[in-house]
Structures are given as C-alpha cells and as structure tokens.
C-alpha cells in the first residue's frame, strides 16, 4: 500500500494570524502531497519497500534503501514525514512565544548555554538542510 496524504485535521485558517490559510493550503495540498507522490514513485523502484512504515524506511540513514533511490527516498520521505508530524503538533489554541521550563529548559541551558543560543542554532540548522525550515530537537 503506498504512502497516503493524511488529512490536515483542522481548517486551513485555524492557525491564523500566525499561519494564513493560503500557506496551509499550499503546504498541505501541494508541498506535502508532492513529497508523498514523489516518495511513492521512488519506492516503486524497490518494491519490497512499498507498504513498509515510513519511519522504518528512513531509519539509520535509509539503510534498507538501494543507493540509486536513496536521495529521492530520503528527501521525499523525509519531507512527507516532517509535514505529517508538523500537522500533528501544530495546535490552533497554542501559546506562541513561551520559553520552555523545567527539565527541558535545564537541558537546553546545559547543551546550548541558554534559550537564545538554542534558537539561533536551531534556526541555522533549519536553514541549512534540504527542505529549509525543518529541524527537530530530540532527546533520547
């Protein structure tokens, strides 16, 4: 079964004024859908990948993917995965501008020297990778 475009889960204008409806429409219906379609086209060249969960295919720098399609799978699968996660974590009733507290704040301060430094490094990370704007903070 090919990867599918997941529905947004809320209206395109639910995040206004922070993200306008047209931006959401373009990102969901065009960018995200294109990543999904291009990913599906790429994995057709390695049929044993079709139907595997996306996170498994992307795991360990696409270890199970043949070299000739690895870039297409990584870029398009990663773009699809990032967008799907983006739709899930956005909250129309969110609280923009708040700094983290508790253990997360402590870890950021320890690793980056403060929230301002973290934001600077995080922004740079997002701007310097394929699909500009995508960066994740992950703690194991």
């Amino acid at each position: 079964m090919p990867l599918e475009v997941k529905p947004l889960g809320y209206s395109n204008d639910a995040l206004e004024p922070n993200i306008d409806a047209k931006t959401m429409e373009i990102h969901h219906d065009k960018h995200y859908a294109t990543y999904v379609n291009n990913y599906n086209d790429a994995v057709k060249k390695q049929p044993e990948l079709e139907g595997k969960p996306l996170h498994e295919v992307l795991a360990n720098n696409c270890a199970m993917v043949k070299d000739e399609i690895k870039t297409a799978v990584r870029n398009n699968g990663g773009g699809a995965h990032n967008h799907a996660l983006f739709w899930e974590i956005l909250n129309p009733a969110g609280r923009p501008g708040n700094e983290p507290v508790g253990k997360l704040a402590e870890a950021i301060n320890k690793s980056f020297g403060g929230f301002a430094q973290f934001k600077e490094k995080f922004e740079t990370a997002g701007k310097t990778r394929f699909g500009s704007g995508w960066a994740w903070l992950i703690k194991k």
Side-chain angles (χ1 to χ4, degrees):
M1 176 167 72
L3 190 62
E4 295 180 359
V5 174
K6 295 179 182 178
L8 187 54
Y10 42 83
S11 68
N12 284 336
D13 64 356
L15 300 173
E16 289 185 348
N18 299 306
I19 303 175
D20 64 89
K22 189 66 174 173
T23 298
M24 292 299 288
E25 178 185 342
I26 290 168
H27 272 273
H28 185 271
D29 299 348
K30 300 216 185 303
H31 296 313
Y32 172 49
T34 298
Y35 282 131
V36 170
N37 292 333
N38 288 345
Y39 171 83
N40 287 332
D41 286 345
V43 299
K44 285 178 185 174
K45 296 171 184 165
Q46 189 176 342
E48 63 271 21
L49 297 178
E50 291 186 65
K52 284 199 176 294
L54 183 55
H55 69 275
E56 287 182 18
V57 176
L58 297 175
N60 300 316
N61 197 24
C62 299
M64 67 173 63
V65 180
K66 293 178 182 176
D67 286 342
E68 59 266 22
I69 63 169
K70 194 172 277 197
T71 298
V73 168
R74 180 186 304 111
N75 290 351
N76 292 290
H81 183 66
N82 285 334
H83 275 85
L85 184 57
F86 186 64
W87 312 136
E88 289 180 28
I89 63 174
L90 288 179
N91 179 356
R95 302 176 349 214
N98 290 344
E99 291 189 15
V101 296
K103 289 184 178 183
L104 178 58
E106 291 172 16
I108 287 172
N109 289 336
K110 181 178 178 183
S111 296
F112 297 95
F115 190 65
Q117 294 88 335
F118 160 73
K119 286 187 351 182
E120 182 180 315
K121 289 181 181 183
F122 199 69
E123 183 177 337
T124 299
K127 287 180 176 178
T128 57
R129 287 179 177 56
F130 175 83
S132 181
W134 295 107
W136 304 105
L137 174 65
I138 299 172
K139 183 180 182 313
K140 291 185 178 181

